[in-house]
Amino acid sequence: MNSFLLDPPNTTMRSPSLSRILFLSVVITTACLVTVAAQNTTASATTTSTVPSATVFPNPYYVALLNDSMWFYEAQRSGTLPANNRVSWGEGWILPASFGFPFKSDFETLLHHMLNRSTLLLYISPPDRRHDSGLADGKDHGVDLVGGYYDAGDYLKFTLPLAHSLTVLSWGGIEFFQGYVLANQTAYLRDTVKWGTDWLIKAHPQDNVLYVQVGDGAVDNNYWGPDTNIPIPRPSYYVDSSNHGTDVVAETAAALASASILFSTYLNDTTYAATLLSHAKTLFTFAELTPRQSYVSAVSAAKSYYSTNAYGDELAFAALWLYRATNSSTYLQKASDYFDQYSLAGLSAPMDWSDQTGSVYVLGAKLDPSNTKYAREAERYLDNLVGFNSPCTKTTGGMLWCTGFSDLNSLVPVQDTSLLALLYAPLNSQKNESYTSFALSQLDYLLGNNPMLTPYVVGVHPNSPQNPHHAGAAGGTDVSDINGSPPTELHVLYGAVVGGPAQTDSFNDIRNDWAQTEVALDYNAPFQGLVAYQIMHTTQNPAYVAITQPRPSSPRTTSGMATWKVAVIVVVVLLVLIGVALAVFIVRRRRSKKAWDKPNYDNR
């Protein structure tokens, strides 16, 4: 006999009561909402700082970034170094932990972070500085090609990316010169540009001759070591009227013309500016010679490194800069003619050392406003990129990613597009806000507001890249094991912008992953313009100042589903749970009532 059936069913024991179900639903919902809030707080950790925003103008962090960037260019110098070269690479050691993980450093690192952040311009270094190097460059052709800059993390010198970098540096210096003034960096700007333009003048020993490369990539890329044992031979390569290089010659003309404006108008050196302009004019005449061709057709040694397949954009770009330097309408007309002749309208590729079309749009709109094709194309071009349209998109973390252009150095399209957006923004009040917002958001990403909590500038934060692909800074000698030679980078390559993260926003910080950790002259050129702009316009700290956590091993989600959407989903789930609870409760009550009313035949 089942005596328990004499009593009403004990629903409290068999299933939760309505009150318990409701209580559990509320608890679950509250936990979900708290989790969402915590996740969103974590996701925005890169932009929320316990460090108050700077009230000092100019912002000292941006001033230090500008200074560091030009320190990087000093680290890239070839030739006989001046006594005031600031790069000191002595023996390194490990400093005490910072933010829970170590800062790698040598003597100057210690001084840089203990002194430079407060005095900004104070540098004290041990006697052992970077060494003179490449002192026989050009001797194979009886010319002096000593000096200039090493292109990237190796010891090769290329004219095309150097000329592009100097043009971008000069352009940013011209438009945002006040930023350099506020930062007390005009002398360093002068030295940075002049070290490159001095070499371009050397590389142009005759009217129709331009040297375009020093060093053999097959030899140089098999060397991993300091600047004291750079391998030889170091052959030099040139183009001339018989073996033309229209693209590199025109780009060099643009570099010298833009630099002449910087020196004449802003740096008060009209004598040097006249020399630069003279070479620029001669080079442009050389560039216009026919038959025209890309320089790699004449110098095959450069094909695997800096190859282009067009030159109309460089001709138009050089003509625009010569117009700006001379005010001669002849050059303005030539620019317009080359624009039409080479069908430059309608292109969407991000600007870089190989393609100046976007720059032609923006510079043309400024210099020739009555010729509406420039402004029309500039806005079409920028609207497309700023809107993350084909060939570009936006990563989960918010970075501009352009398929086919970002794979080998993702931060180059980011910076070049941002600089063009800032340069064009004042020309259209209706577009100003969207272009400026885009540019600053991309710079914010570069400086730490990203899923990896990483400012992609070496030496500014413990999360900065620790292993840039740079033979001199690494301090190793084993080319077969560049990741382990040595395991810890011996020298800090201050101010260098690395290639950048992958499309997934991930960053491995591995030396032999050159697509992510390589450094180069053209990576820092637009960066300086962006930073100079910020010095002029903001007192807010860059994003990395707020970062107090180590870099995660994988990207952290910083831009998932909106909080309100998550909240709506949670509320809907809560209502469903309540509905289910009510249904269960009603069904149980009815069953209970039936069970109670049912006769107990076992007691008959």
Side-chain angles (χ1 to χ4, degrees):
M1 182 173 64
N2 299 321
S3 61
F4 71 87
L5 290 177
L6 293 173
D7 299 321
N10 191 339
T11 57
T12 303
M13 294 297 294
R14 291 183 180 180
S15 61
S17 66
L18 175 62
S19 60
R20 288 193 177 186
I21 292 174
L22 293 175
F23 175 75
L24 289 172
S25 300
V26 171
V27 169
I28 292 171
T29 303
T30 302
C32 291
L33 290 172
V34 169
T35 301
V36 169
Q39 288 176 342
N40 279 277
T41 300
T42 301
S44 61
T46 60
T47 56
T48 303
S49 174
T50 56
V51 180
S53 296
T55 57
V56 178
F57 185 80
N59 181 283
Y61 293 98
Y62 281 110
V63 169
L65 283 170
L66 191 63
N67 181 62
D68 287 355
S69 181
M70 288 184 283
W71 192 99
F72 161 71
Y73 279 104
E74 291 185 30
Q76 295 300 106
R77 285 177 175 174
S78 177
T80 304
L81 303 180
N84 65 353
N85 201 69
R86 297 176 290 173
V87 180
S88 167
W89 284 349
E91 293 301 316
W93 58 78
I94 302 297
L95 289 180
S98 176
F99 296 113
F101 49 112
F103 240 136
K104 299 191 302 296
S105 180
D106 58 14
F107 181 70
E108 183 156 358
T109 308
L110 176 62
L111 291 169
H112 187 87
H113 287 280
M114 292 182 66
L115 301 176
N116 187 54
R117 293 312 177 199
S118 58
T119 64
L120 298 175
L121 297 178
L122 177 57
Y123 281 88
I124 305 174
S125 304
D128 184 17
R129 299 176 180 272
R130 257 216 56 213
H131 306 90
D132 297 343
S133 59
L135 302 182
D137 287 355
K139 282 190 175 180
D140 56 329
H141 288 288
V143 294
D144 177 9
L145 297 178
V146 176
Y149 288 108
Y150 296 123
D151 170 64
D154 48 28
Y155 298 104
L156 297 173
K157 295 193 285 195
F158 292 97
T159 299
L160 182 62
L162 171 62
H164 164 76
S165 301
L166 292 172
T167 307
V168 174
L169 280 170
S170 295
W171 198 356
I174 291 166
E175 302 297 344
F176 308 128
F177 188 72
Q178 187 60 24
Y180 287 89
V181 172
L182 290 169
N184 195 25
Q185 296 290 301
T186 57
Y188 288 127
L189 173 63
R190 179 187 185 279
D191 291 347
T192 299
V193 174
K194 191 173 186 295
W195 193 268
T197 53
D198 280 351
W199 188 83
L200 290 182
I201 291 171
K202 288 183 175 183
H204 183 221
Q206 301 174 39
D207 287 354
N208 294 339
V209 174
L210 179 67
Y211 281 82
V212 299
Q213 180 178 335
V214 176
D216 183 346
V219 174
D220 193 88
N221 287 340
N222 283 308
Y223 173 71
W224 185 255
D227 55 12
T228 52
N229 297 303
I230 298 174
I232 54 175
R234 286 179 59 79
S236 52
Y237 306 86
Y238 65 91
V239 294
D240 58 20
S241 55
S242 300
N243 296 284
H244 207 351
T246 309
D247 47 358
V248 66
V249 176
E251 184 60 40
T252 305
L256 297 180
S258 59
S260 75
I261 299 169
L262 180 66
F263 276 87
S264 64
T265 306
Y266 298 92
L267 297 175
N268 300 317
D269 191 341
T270 55
T271 302
Y272 187 63
T275 300
L276 294 171
L277 186 55
S278 175
H279 279 274
K281 291 178 179 179
T282 304
L283 281 164
F284 186 74
T285 301
F286 175 21
E288 290 191 296
L289 294 179
T290 57
R292 295 169 184 155
Q293 64 178 15
S294 297
Y295 84 108
V296 292
S297 297
V299 181
S300 60
K303 188 171 292 185
S304 298
Y305 304 98
Y306 290 99
S307 179
T308 70
N309 55 16
Y311 43 79
D313 52 315
E314 279 92 355
L315 285 168
F317 193 47
L320 287 170
W321 276 113
L322 279 161
Y323 166 71
R324 190 169 187 178
T326 65
N327 203 34
S328 170
S329 60
T330 300
Y331 291 115
L332 196 63
Q333 186 59 52
K334 284 179 178 290
S336 181
D337 291 343
Y338 285 133
F339 185 101
D340 296 336
Q341 179 181 346
Y342 292 102
S343 302
L344 298 185
L347 302 182
S348 300
M351 176 268 282
D352 65 6
W353 56 264
S354 68
D355 190 345
Q356 300 298 338
T357 307
S359 299
V360 170
Y361 297 156
V362 172
L363 185 60
K366 180 181 180 67
L367 301 182
D368 195 3
S370 63
N371 196 341
T372 57
K373 65 186 179 186
Y374 292 118
R376 181 175 63 250
E377 287 302 306
E379 291 175 19
R380 177 200 56 78
Y381 172 83
L382 288 172
D383 285 347
N384 189 69
L385 291 173
V386 168
F388 301 99
N389 296 315
S390 181
C392 304
T393 185
K394 181 165 62 172
T395 67
T396 301
M399 177 179 66
L400 177 73
W401 180 276
C402 302
T403 303
F405 301 93
S406 299
D407 307 78
L408 300 183
N409 36 40
S410 60
L411 292 177
V412 171
V414 164
Q415 295 189 89
D416 287 341
T417 304
S418 296
L419 181 63
L420 290 181
L422 285 183
L423 290 169
Y424 188 83
L427 303 182
N428 186 329
S429 59
Q430 295 180 336
K431 305 280 186 178
N432 190 310
E433 183 176 353
S434 63
Y435 290 174
T436 302
S437 176
F438 166 84
L440 299 185
S441 72
Q442 296 301 296
L443 179 61
D444 199 39
Y445 180 101
L446 186 155
L447 291 178
N449 189 13
N450 57 64
M452 295 300 290
L453 306 180
T454 297
Y456 292 107
V457 183
V458 178
V460 303
H461 186 274
N463 286 6
S464 291
Q466 303 293 309
N467 295 291
H469 182 98
H470 193 278
T477 56
D478 186 355
V479 72
S480 67
D481 182 25
I482 66 173
N483 288 337
S485 178
T488 299
E489 199 114 345
L490 190 60
H491 310 299
V492 180
L493 193 62
Y494 292 115
V497 177
V498 298
Q503 190 172 7
T504 58
D505 295 301
S506 61
F507 180 71
N508 297 320
D509 203 1
I510 299 172
R511 249 176 253 151
N512 69 357
D513 187 355
W514 56 267
Q516 291 201 353
T517 60
E518 181 80 277
V519 299
L521 301 177
D522 63 302
Y523 295 8
N524 272 70
F527 179 68
Q528 287 196 194
L530 296 170
V531 171
Y533 175 92
Q534 284 292 75
I535 291 171
M536 293 167 60
H537 291 95
T538 188
T539 60
Q540 298 299 307
N541 291 331
Y544 65 81
V545 178
I547 299 173
T548 57
Q549 303 176 52
R551 182 195 304 144
S553 58
S554 59
R556 300 173 63 171
T557 301
T558 57
S559 57
M561 186 179 295
T563 305
W564 69 269
K565 291 182 179 179
V566 177
V568 168
I569 292 173
V570 171
V571 170
V572 169
V573 171
L574 174 61
L575 293 175
V576 170
L577 288 173
I578 292 173
V580 171
L582 286 172
V584 170
F585 178 77
I586 292 171
V587 169
R588 295 287 186 187
R589 285 294 298 271
R590 288 179 178 176
R591 287 180 178 176
S592 299
K593 188 175 186 302
K594 288 180 181 180
W596 180 254
D597 293 341
K598 181 179 179 180
N600 190 341
Y601 295 107
D602 289 339
N603 291 330
R604 286 183 300 172

